[in-house]
Amino acid sequence: MCRVIAMSADLTKAKANWQMYYTLTQEMLKFINQDDVDQFLDLERQRSELVERMKALPETEDYRKTSECQELVQKIKPLDMQVVYKAKAWLNRSRQQNATVHAYDIQGVNKLGNIFNKKY
């Protein structure tokens, strides 16, 4: 009897974890759309920690086989794809902006040499 109750509690945890994963994914998408990268990265960290907890809970795999979880997974997949696409787009824009900024950097130029090389 105790084993059944413990298993039920673990399945409840697995269900709650999957629901939290869905919620975090929705929030990540919201913040990447707003270009709030700091909040996005914090949510990504939280989601990664959640995945580690899910992997440590053996009942997660049992819950994953249920039709309820499969429906949730079908909701999560397109959101995940959007998050990945938008995060990559943000990263590419960031790299391009960074490259543009560095193109204007004058590194290795002796500032005193520039003063003495001017024609007066």
Side-chain angles (χ1 to χ4, degrees), residues 89-102:
W90 174 84
L91 184 60
N92 287 337
R93 277 193 318 273
S94 178
R95 285 180 178 160
Q96 185 177 14
Q97 289 171 349
N98 196 24
T100 302
V101 167
H102 286 298

Side-chain angles (χ1 to χ4, degrees), residues 24-41 43 79-91 93:
L24 286 171
T25 304
Q26 289 177 313
E27 291 298 304
M28 287 171 66
L29 187 58
K30 179 175 84 174
F31 285 107
I32 196 75
N33 283 337
Q34 296 172 355
D35 274 338
D36 188 344
V37 177
D38 292 332
Q39 187 65 36
F40 171 82
L41 292 174
L43 290 169
L79 294 176
D80 259 345
M81 289 174 56
Q82 287 182 53
V83 166
V84 168
Y85 173 78
K86 291 182 181 212
K88 284 182 179 180
W90 174 84
L91 184 60
R93 277 193 318 273

